Amino acid sequence: MILLGKIATGFLGTALIAGGIVSSQGFVHVRVLEKQKNGTHLRLGLPAMAVPIALEFVPGRHLEEGARNVRPWLPAIDAAATRLADCPDGVLVEVTEPGQHVSIAKSGGSIVVDVDDPGETVHVSVPLATVRSAVNIVAESDGVQ
């Protein structure tokens, strides 16, 4: 019986450590609500470390155009991500028009985009480190695969 307890403790400890590692970089949150009758209501939360891992499996030919477009801006993107990490939380951009509202903010180390218009409400939150990592992976893509 003591052996089973030790095995269970080992599994529990391993699960807790794995959970800590997976959640250490934060989470990507996506929420979409279509405002029409029977509209889609999507809630997605995934560990941020899954984004760069998933990008490694995207064929290079699908990243080629993005890589070409982002490479010239990579130094500016890296500098902005570094500076944003040091900035206090707050709204960076906000646009309000009749019936529409868009907000881009920094909150707790993440970039948060909220869009509200007559057709849908969208919320996306991505850790800054994940944005930076994903942009670098795309920029390094050579179009081969």
Side-chain angles (χ1 to χ4, degrees), residues 30-42 95 97-103 113-124:
V30 178
R31 198 170 52 238
V32 178
L33 171 63
E34 291 181 334
K35 296 179 180 178
Q36 62 196 21
K37 185 177 179 181
N38 297 324
T40 301
H41 187 187
L42 171 73
V95 178
E97 293 182 1
Q100 297 181 356
H101 182 253
V102 177
S103 171
V113 179
D114 288 306
V115 179
D116 189 17
D117 67 27
E120 60 193 0
T121 299
V122 178
H123 169 86
V124 178

Side-chain angles (χ1 to χ4, degrees), residues 25-83:
Q25 293 182 10
F27 288 86
V28 174
H29 297 278
V30 178
R31 198 170 52 238
V32 178
L33 171 63
E34 291 181 334
K35 296 179 180 178
Q36 62 196 21
K37 185 177 179 181
N38 297 324
T40 301
H41 187 187
L42 171 73
R43 283 184 180 262
L44 177 64
L46 67 139
M49 78 171 11
V51 173
I53 292 170
L55 280 172
E56 294 294 339
F57 290 98
V58 175
R61 67 182 181 277
H62 295 299
L63 299 176
E64 189 174 2
E65 183 179 353
R68 220 177 18 255
N69 291 334
V70 80
R71 277 188 199 118
W73 298 101
L74 199 54
I77 293 168
D78 283 338
T82 300
R83 297 300 297 161

Side-chain angles (χ1 to χ4, degrees), residues 2 5 16 36 51 60 69 72 77 82 84 88 92 110 114 126 136:
I2 291 177
L16 288 173
Q36 62 196 21
V51 173
N69 291 334
I77 293 168
T82 300
L84 274 173
L92 303 171
S110 293
D114 288 306
V126 183
N136 281 303

